[in-house]
Amino acid sequence: EAVYRSSPFFWAFRQASAQLSTPVGVPSGGVRAGDPFAAAVFAITDALPFYDVGAVTQIFSNVCSEETGCLLDEPSSPSTSDGSLGDEPSDGTSDARLASPTAATFESRVELSIGRLFGLPASSSVMTTRASVP
């Protein structure tokens, strides 16, 4: 599958059209009548000539990771009445030591360039999808 299909836009399009099927096949894309509608649309657009996919980037911010974990504030006083920090592991969402919450964000950028237009000026477009989770 084309790398730019990693954009959340294409995932959302697939979800929004999941109940639809294509009435006709698209032989160049290997799509048959009755296949998912999104597959037919993608096959048609992929068959358009003279375009190049440029940089595809995805940036995640303010999320915990297996490599770096989550930032924790050092407690100024014990968090339980018996003076301990508690013996239950954190689920990563309710631990009082977690740094003040900031929204987790995601940004996906896909650059599309059309440079072979038979004498016309080259064109490019950047499709950007952003989301945040409080």
Side-chain angles (χ1 to χ4, degrees), residues 47-52 113-118:
L48 294 174
F50 312 123
Y51 76 92
D52 297 302
S113 299
I114 301 173
R116 297 167 280 177
L117 294 176
F118 307 106

Side-chain angles (χ1 to χ4, degrees), residues 36-128:
F37 179 74
V41 171
F42 296 160
I44 291 168
T45 58
D46 285 346
L48 294 174
F50 312 123
Y51 76 92
D52 297 302
V53 176
V56 177
T57 58
Q58 294 185 340
I59 302 166
F60 296 86
S61 303
N62 300 323
V63 295
C64 298
S65 74
E66 291 181 15
E67 293 83 25
T68 60
C70 296
L71 297 176
L72 295 177
D73 290 332
E74 292 298 322
S76 57
S77 62
S79 61
T80 61
S81 60
D82 66 358
S84 71
L85 289 176
D87 57 0
E88 292 295 318
S90 169
D91 64 2
T93 60
S94 60
D95 191 327
R97 297 176 299 150
L98 285 173
S100 55
T102 56
T105 61
F106 169 77
E107 179 175 296
S108 174
R109 289 184 291 235
V110 177
E111 182 180 344
L112 184 69
S113 299
I114 301 173
R116 297 167 280 177
L117 294 176
F118 307 106
L120 297 172
S123 301
S124 66
S125 173
V126 178
M127 178 177 27
T128 303

Side-chain angles (χ1 to χ4, degrees), residues 21-27 30-37 39-41 43-44:
S21 61
T22 180
V24 296
V26 183
V31 177
R32 296 185 197 137
D35 282 352
F37 179 74
V41 171
I44 291 168

